[in-house]
Amino acid sequence: MRSARMTAPPIPFGRAQCADAARATVAAGLTWQACVTLLHAPHPYVGAVAALLIVEATVVRTVTAATRYAAGCLLGVAVAVPAALYVEPGMAGLALVVFASVLLARHEFLGHHGLHLPTTALITFALVRGRHPAELVDHLAEVMLGLAFGLACSALLFPAVRVRSAERALERLRSLLAHHLDGLADVVTGRGRPREVLGPAWRHELDTAVAEARTAVDEAHESVRWNVRPTARRRRWHLDRRVLRALADVEEQVCATGRLLDEKPLVSRAETPADAIDVVPRTEGFTQPYARLLRTTALCVYDCRGGRPHPALPAARHAVARLGRPGRDPSAARAEDRNLLHHLDAALTCLTASVPTPSRPPARRHHALSTLRPTERR
């Protein structure tokens, strides 16, 4: 009898998304209750909607969203009140309000919250034109309460720290770079072209990994700003932008090396086919050392974490310099070989630049010893 195993469907959201939804729910509920208690509003949906719309994943984003929301509402009131009081007839005033509010809503500062500018302007125009100023005041008060509770819940109710996701993205980028460098070493030893060994979309994978790592590191830095959790302060040292810049520069050099190997594969003279036109034969004095250097660079890339570099990094740079000397091997003087060595040396230079410069310890002050005074004998 066969046993059937039921696989659970993948969950489209994780713990971070659930936490964001919980903060927005609490903010909307508190806003609704506060508006009912303080403003005696029977259905304060305006404040609850404002609280829902401004709660973001990080405190910085929530403050930005609240600022844009408030700016849109205030600009809408400023546009609609003069038109409702002084422009006649009413259709002309309405047309002026719509035109001016839509034009101002297109400004890049407001972002997608610019939609609230014409909405608030139309509501304000209708209330002021209909002689209902008290309802306009209640409307604005609900919006302000929603913004206040949204900011408070985002800042105090377990604010997110996106450090682990950034570390995972950097680890994936390091692993991909090391894997592709090993693959390029296999290409050099004569196992095919890069698109045959690593796949046709290997450069796209690297570009995607760099973009994801850059986004994750930016979100992590943003999540620790204005964050009251102690975890945000303890994990700042993991978010070194120099490591990300070094890995991104290495990715550019790896892609350039792959393009060169796609155009002119490296094979030994004994393995060169007779009818090959775009294959440049090399001697073993270049292909084997170059393949070893690629694998050594893969080790250095995987060890690029912002601390001490891999012990093999200085030796690899010296080996690249020796391999590039014209007197070392006649094949190393070829233009293709020089280009390959140039990209490899640039990658190693990027890894060296990611090492933080050690700070100098403060100089010790040497105090001169006081002259010894002879003690009086008894």
Side-chain angles (χ1 to χ4, degrees):
M1 181 177 179
R2 295 182 180 180
S3 60
R5 179 179 297 179
M6 298 182 62
T7 59
I11 301 177
F13 43 83
R15 186 167 54 183
Q17 288 78 10
C18 292
D20 296 341
R23 281 192 291 269
T25 304
V26 173
L30 292 177
T31 303
W32 188 284
Q33 190 62 36
C35 291
V36 170
T37 304
L38 300 177
L39 303 178
H40 306 287
H43 304 290
Y45 61 90
V46 176
V49 168
L52 283 174
L53 292 179
I54 69 163
V55 174
E56 297 285 347
T58 61
V59 181
V60 177
R61 291 185 185 179
T62 303
V63 172
T64 304
T67 304
R68 291 176 174 176
Y69 197 109
C73 292
L74 293 179
L75 284 175
V77 172
V79 168
V81 170
L85 294 178
Y86 302 111
V87 178
E88 293 293 343
M91 289 302 297
L94 179 62
L96 179 62
V97 167
V98 172
F99 179 79
S101 60
V102 171
L103 193 63
L104 291 173
R106 307 276 182 175
H107 197 276
E108 60 181 5
F109 169 73
L110 298 177
H112 64 275
H113 290 286
L115 176 64
H116 306 300
L117 198 157
T119 305
T120 307
L122 288 176
I123 294 174
T124 303
F125 182 84
L127 293 177
V128 174
R129 195 80 179 179
R131 302 294 189 270
H132 300 292
E135 295 184 10
L136 176 61
V137 173
D138 292 341
H139 178 88
L140 296 178
E142 290 180 17
V143 170
M144 293 301 112
L145 282 176
L147 298 181
F149 278 107
L151 286 171
C153 290
S154 180
L156 302 177
L157 192 60
F158 302 105
V161 180
R162 301 297 178 89
V163 177
R164 290 183 180 178
S165 59
E167 292 174 353
R168 286 194 295 267
L170 286 175
E171 185 67 23
R172 178 174 179 271
L173 177 58
R174 278 191 290 262
S175 301
L176 269 179
L177 283 173
H179 170 70
H180 289 326
L181 282 168
D182 283 334
L184 292 179
D186 294 337
V187 169
V188 170
T189 55
R191 297 187 181 180
R193 296 175 183 267
R195 57 176 176 267
E196 299 170 356
V197 176
L198 300 174
W202 69 275
R203 285 199 292 265
H204 178 69
E205 290 179 0
L206 283 179
D207 294 337
T208 304
V210 170
E212 290 177 355
R214 187 175 287 112
T215 302
V217 170
D218 290 340
E219 288 181 354
H221 275 280
E222 188 180 83
S223 68
V224 299
R225 289 178 58 196
W226 304 342
N227 201 318
V228 297
R229 293 179 63 181
T231 309
R233 294 189 294 272
R234 287 199 303 266
R235 292 193 171 185
R236 285 179 186 271
W237 67 276
H238 287 283
L239 308 176
D240 193 355
R241 293 185 186 272
R242 284 179 298 186
V243 174
L244 178 60
R245 286 196 296 268
L247 293 176
D249 294 340
V250 170
E251 185 264 344
E252 293 180 1
Q253 305 302 327
V254 170
C255 291
T257 303
R259 283 192 294 269
L260 288 176
L261 292 176
D262 266 328
E263 297 172 359
K264 300 289 184 178
L266 281 178
V267 296
S268 63
R269 295 183 185 274
E271 298 173 354
T272 304
D275 56 346
I277 299 176
D278 58 343
V279 175
V280 179
R282 264 78 169 179
T283 60
E284 296 295 333
F286 181 79
T287 55
Q288 296 300 327
Y290 185 72
R292 286 196 296 269
L293 285 173
L294 285 175
R295 291 193 171 93
T296 305
T297 307
L299 294 176
C300 298
V301 166
Y302 191 74
D303 205 39
C304 180
R305 302 174 187 275
R308 291 183 177 180
H310 195 274
L313 181 58
R317 296 197 66 184
H318 288 300
V320 170
R322 288 196 305 268
L323 191 60
R325 292 174 186 171
R328 169 66 174 80
D329 195 330
S331 64
R334 301 177 64 93
E336 294 84 0
D337 300 346
R338 287 198 299 268
N339 290 334
L340 291 173
L341 290 174
H342 169 73
H343 292 303
L344 183 57
D345 183 66
L348 294 173
T349 303
C350 296
L351 294 175
T352 306
S354 67
V355 180
T357 305
S359 58
R360 278 187 166 184
R364 296 182 179 180
R365 295 181 178 179
H366 299 279
H367 300 280
L369 297 176
S370 58
T371 56
L372 297 178
R373 296 180 179 178
T375 56
E376 296 181 357
R377 295 182 179 179
R378 295 181 179 178

